[in-house]
Amino acid sequence: MDETEIHDLADDADYAAASKQGSSIMTGHDTSNQNNHIDPENAEIVYMKDNVTIHPTQYATERISGRLKLIKQDSSLFMSWIPYLGQTSNARLSERDKNLYTIKAVPFADIRSIRRHTPAIGWQYVIVVLSSGLAYPPLYFYNGGVREFIATVKQHVFIARSAEDANVFLVNNFQDPLQRILSSLELPRVISSSSFTNSPFNGNQERLEVHKNGTPARDISIQVLEKFSLVTRFARETSQLVRESLFDDIGTNENKKNYQPAQERPREIEAPVPSDPFEFDKVLLVWGKPRQPPLGHEEWATFLDSEGRVEDLNALKKRIFYGGVEHSLRKEIWPILLGYYAYDSTYTERQHFMAVKKSEYEVIRNQWQSISPQQAKRFTKFKDRKSLIEKDVVRTDRSHPFYEGDENTNVDLLHNILVTYSFYNFDLGYCQGMSDLLSPILFIMEDESESFWCFVSLMERLGPNFNRDQNGMHSQLFALSKLVELLDSPLHNYFKQKDCLNCFFCFRWILIQFKREFEYEKILRLWEVLWTHHPSEHLHLYMCVAILKRQRAKIMGDKMGFDTLLQFINDLSGQIDVDAVLRDAEALCLCAGENGAAAIPPGTPPSLPIEDESIYQQDGEGL
């Protein structure tokens, strides 16, 4: 980075303050026996802080505490965070969960930046971002110590404050001047066998420890490939992208005028695209099952007893997964899939429950409808959120017959439900994208109260996608990167070379569950399939992998960088075969097995939350 773009920390107030507060800076070896991890030989601990905590799920009450250290060995600085043995705030967190988050001596040469967060209310924390673009979970300093941590790093490596964000500290650990010059040229890094271990979560993989003669961990994807005998030595070209007229949706084609098709760009010398380690034909032959006709009325009746209870919920979900539901049945089945109606409730119980919830909804709606203009002037949060909702609903699915036309009452219902939800969930409020999630539900339910409560049930799963700190999104994007590494290591290596490991180009897919990638009817079918959580509650991530694998030859052959890749992914809207992708995703999920599950951090959305737990932490901000 150019020197004009960064500021030196010589006059940093944090550094000056830290120089007076050296109680947490250690100069010696750790003699504590709180954990069984041994520091590397010839290493000096220059900083140590206890009770530094990671929140592995979206629940504020679930945390793993440990010890953070900065370790100096020779001319290099390393950071480690080791959880305490047998100490968690929740019995659900196993030792395996804790080990998943262990940070074992990562060198600062592999760290790009440190972001410091000092909220007015709540604990200070830092986010360490690796050179690959991936980030460790936030490290919360319950007993303070962020200033000392930054100051100690400053003493041992070159670190500078970003000109764009004063809370971001850019890290440069190049001791050799030649290396530093080469770094400024941003030359692509050579992909080595150790590339697979440079990530905060490695599932069943071993990590690279700080040893003079270390052995790189074994590539976990090779283990899976050997297990299922799917390795091929020959390059296998996937289908070329057929560029047809694109599906026109709000916000999907904003930058299309700046996109230059691959055939019009100057091409470099062609290099063969690495072969796909998983041949889809072989995978589908073993695991992929064909899609079935949607569930109809006669077959639906076979799943119910005489009073309307679902007798075998798992069998029902599996049937819906493979075929979806006939449109006329969705109003009855969607509330059960979303968990709004208990599957073992009777017809009579559901009718009573509906009446009770309708009254409850009206109470919540009346709360904001009774706010006077004078109150609204002094209620900035309400006024801003209501204004944002009003802007969004008039742009949501207006080409669909259910919402088209001026003075459409369904648009008014969309508005009322979203404002009511912002009152119902004070902490989360309203964020752009929520209208996309509500629109199909209102279209199916055709009732304001029922749509609201179904939306509430959906947001219990997807709410973390809209958290201000974006932890829910980051955890899913990180899991996606690990699944790509597991299921397509050449593509993962390519993303690493192109600095695309953060998978931000898939952000829209995940945020609103592919809402803008398929036609409306296909979205209805896709969502009811995803809501079954068969064969995994994270099937949407395997869908992302399946789509990327189908496009890998195009992506790698055209040598797409992040900007081009982002535009390319957006341009796939309306061109993806939903049935083929679901079949591919199921096959990849079953093929990955336990290794795939281990690659996804615990608590990654859309896992269902525990009742009465707050999952919408907004840095102390209320409505």
Side-chain angles (χ1 to χ4, degrees):
M1 179 172 289
D2 193 286
E3 290 185 2
T4 61
E5 297 178 336
I6 55 179
H7 304 301
D8 187 76
L9 278 183
D11 59 349
D12 186 3
D14 287 347
Y15 178 70
S19 64
K20 301 177 182 179
Q21 302 178 26
S23 59
S24 296
I25 300 177
M26 311 297 293
T27 56
H29 294 281
D30 179 22
T31 59
S32 173
N33 58 0
Q34 274 193 272
N35 58 60
N36 296 326
H37 297 276
I38 301 176
D39 295 316
E41 296 181 0
N42 304 320
E44 178 188 12
I45 300 173
V46 294
Y47 175 89
M48 182 174 69
K49 189 68 179 178
D50 282 311
N51 293 321
V52 176
T53 300
I54 283 177
H55 292 275
T57 71
Q58 59 264 46
Y59 311 121
T61 56
E62 290 190 7
R63 57 182 178 269
I64 303 174
S65 297
R67 174 172 293 175
L68 178 67
K69 297 178 185 178
L70 295 176
I71 305 167
K72 186 72 177 293
Q73 180 166 307
D74 299 326
S75 61
S76 299
L77 186 69
F78 299 83
M79 183 187 78
S80 72
W81 179 84
I82 308 297
Y84 299 139
L85 290 180
Q87 295 186 21
T88 63
S89 64
N90 192 293
R92 295 196 312 144
L93 299 175
S94 65
E95 291 300 319
R96 177 184 175 186
D97 293 334
K98 295 199 302 181
N99 291 334
L100 188 66
Y101 290 89
T102 299
I103 303 173
K104 293 187 178 179
V106 59
F108 269 76
D110 291 342
I111 294 177
R112 174 187 297 174
S113 64
I114 302 172
R115 173 178 285 275
R116 177 186 61 188
H117 292 260
T118 54
I121 301 177
W123 297 287
Q124 297 181 357
Y125 62 95
V126 299
I127 297 177
V128 177
V129 181
L130 299 174
S131 300
S132 64
L134 298 177
Y136 288 110
L139 296 167
Y140 287 83
F141 289 68
Y142 277 12
N143 297 329
V146 171
R147 289 182 176 179
E148 296 93 322
F149 173 75
I150 299 292
T152 306
V153 173
K154 159 68 178 174
Q155 293 173 4
H156 298 280
V157 301
F158 178 78
I159 135 180
R161 191 191 294 271
S162 169
E164 298 177 355
D165 189 336
N167 286 313
V168 174
F169 299 90
L170 307 173
V171 178
N172 189 336
N173 191 37
F174 297 109
Q175 304 298 326
D176 186 340
L178 176 60
Q179 285 184 311
R180 191 167 173 182
I181 293 173
L182 292 175
S183 172
S184 67
L185 299 177
E186 297 184 348
L187 299 176
R189 291 190 175 187
V190 177
I191 304 299
S192 65
S193 60
S194 62
S195 300
F196 298 99
T197 62
N198 295 331
S199 57
F201 305 110
N202 283 313
N204 296 331
Q205 289 174 269
E206 298 177 358
R207 302 173 191 267
L208 283 181
E209 304 268 0
V210 186
H211 294 297
K212 293 182 178 179
N213 297 313
T215 301
R218 192 163 178 254
D219 180 4
I220 190 171
S221 64
I222 298 300
Q223 297 178 26
V224 179
L225 294 175
E226 289 176 349
K227 181 176 180 180
F228 296 106
S229 302
L230 293 174
V231 179
T232 175
R233 296 184 180 180
F234 303 99
R236 191 178 193 282
E237 296 292 337
T238 57
S239 302
Q240 294 296 317
L241 174 66
V242 179
R243 302 190 63 84
E244 301 173 352
S245 58
L246 301 178
F247 177 67
D248 186 19
D249 202 349
I250 301 169
T252 60
N253 298 314
E254 284 184 352
N255 301 317
K256 197 173 293 182
K257 58 184 179 180
N258 299 321
Y259 177 66
Q260 187 178 11
Q263 60 268 25
E264 298 177 10
R265 297 194 300 269
R267 297 186 66 87
E268 302 175 12
I269 298 176
E270 291 288 346
V273 176
S275 61
D276 187 344
F278 284 96
E279 292 193 68
F280 264 127
D281 290 345
K282 293 183 179 180
V283 176
L284 293 175
L285 183 64
V286 178
W287 288 289
K289 295 183 180 180
R291 310 303 296 169
Q292 300 175 11
L295 177 69
H297 286 267
E298 291 185 6
E299 189 178 2
W300 165 236
T302 65
F303 286 96
L304 305 175
D305 66 12
S306 59
E307 294 185 316
R309 301 181 185 88
V310 176
E311 295 185 298
D312 190 338
L313 181 62
N314 290 331
L316 174 63
K317 288 183 175 182
K318 189 173 182 179
R319 174 63 183 88
I320 293 174
F321 173 81
Y322 285 111
V325 178
E326 284 188 359
H327 184 76
S328 58
L329 277 174
R330 284 175 171 145
K331 187 172 183 178
E332 184 176 358
I333 294 179
W334 274 27
I336 296 175
L337 285 178
L338 287 168
Y340 170 49
Y341 291 160
Y343 76 94
D344 57 352
S345 60
T346 65
Y347 295 124
T348 303
E349 290 169 342
R350 289 198 283 271
Q351 288 295 322
H352 174 71
F353 183 74
M354 184 189 306
V356 171
K357 299 303 284 186
K358 182 176 183 179
S359 298
E360 186 177 343
Y361 170 75
E362 291 173 350
V363 169
I364 303 171
R365 185 186 58 190
N366 290 338
Q367 289 177 351
W368 66 267
Q369 288 184 335
S370 63
I371 294 177
S372 67
Q374 291 74 21
Q375 284 179 296
K377 290 180 181 179
R378 297 167 178 82
F379 202 168
T380 304
K381 291 294 182 185
F382 166 73
K383 184 171 63 175
D384 291 346
R385 290 176 175 176
K386 187 170 182 288
S387 175
L388 182 58
I389 291 170
E390 289 169 352
K391 292 177 181 178
D392 283 354
V393 296
V394 297
R395 300 178 295 182
T396 302
D397 295 328
R398 293 309 298 274
S399 61
H400 192 278
F402 189 74
Y403 294 106
E404 69 181 358
D406 298 332
E407 299 182 359
N408 188 316
T409 57
N410 294 322
V411 177
D412 296 334
L413 293 179
L414 202 66
H415 168 271
N416 291 346
I417 293 171
L418 290 171
V419 178
T420 304
Y421 181 78
S422 72
F423 258 66
Y424 174 80
N425 189 340
F426 281 9
D427 292 335
L428 188 61
Y430 174 79
C431 300
Q432 286 183 306
M434 290 183 181
S435 60
D436 280 285
L437 297 177
L438 173 60
S439 169
I441 294 177
L442 179 58
F443 169 65
I444 292 300
M445 301 306 297
E446 299 181 299
D447 179 86
E448 185 174 353
S449 172
E450 291 292 277
S451 298
F452 172 81
W453 291 113
C454 285
F455 180 67
V456 167
S457 298
L458 178 62
M459 292 303 293
E460 288 296 300
R461 307 181 188 192
L462 301 183
N465 285 7
F466 299 94
N467 279 353
R468 287 184 58 202
D469 61 10
Q470 294 190 342
N471 274 348
M473 286 300 301
H474 282 302
S475 65
Q476 291 174 87
L477 291 169
F478 179 82
L480 173 58
S481 178
K482 296 304 296 177
L483 290 176
V484 172
E485 181 180 10
L486 174 69
L487 296 166
D488 196 335
S489 56
L491 185 60
H492 176 270
N493 287 346
Y494 176 83
F495 286 158
K496 182 173 184 179
Q497 185 182 23
K498 295 295 184 179
D499 199 19
C500 295
L501 277 183
N502 51 33
C503 291
F504 283 162
F505 46 86
C506 296
F507 194 94
R508 188 178 74 189
W509 289 356
I510 295 174
L511 179 69
I512 53 177
Q513 302 285 282
F514 300 95
K515 169 64 161 48
R516 298 183 182 178
E517 316 313 318
F518 300 100
E519 297 173 359
Y520 209 81
E521 174 58 33
K522 293 180 179 178
I523 277 296
L524 303 180
R525 183 150 47 92
L526 172 61
W527 281 9
E528 62 199 14
V529 166
L530 293 178
W531 295 343
T532 66
H533 284 183
H534 177 85
S536 166
E537 64 181 354
H538 299 109
L539 187 72
H540 66 296
L541 299 180
Y542 289 95
M543 282 185 61
C544 295
V545 178
I547 297 171
L548 293 174
K549 286 176 72 66
R550 287 297 184 185
Q551 303 298 332
R552 69 191 304 278
K554 182 71 174 177
I555 293 170
M556 299 173 70
D558 285 358
K559 297 180 174 58
M560 295 183 186
F562 178 81
D563 293 338
T564 309
L565 181 57
L566 177 62
Q567 187 64 56
F568 174 76
I569 292 298
N570 286 345
D571 285 350
L572 290 178
S573 175
Q575 302 188 58
I576 305 171
D577 186 333
V578 65
D579 287 334
V581 169
L582 283 171
R583 189 179 179 191
D584 293 348
E586 180 197 11
L588 290 172
C589 179
L590 296 177
C591 184
E594 293 183 358
N595 289 318
I600 302 174
T604 298
S607 52
L608 292 174
I610 298 175
E611 293 184 4
D612 301 325
E613 291 282 4
S614 176
I615 63 175
Y616 306 111
Q617 299 301 317
Q618 299 292 328
D619 292 336
E621 180 185 358
L623 181 69

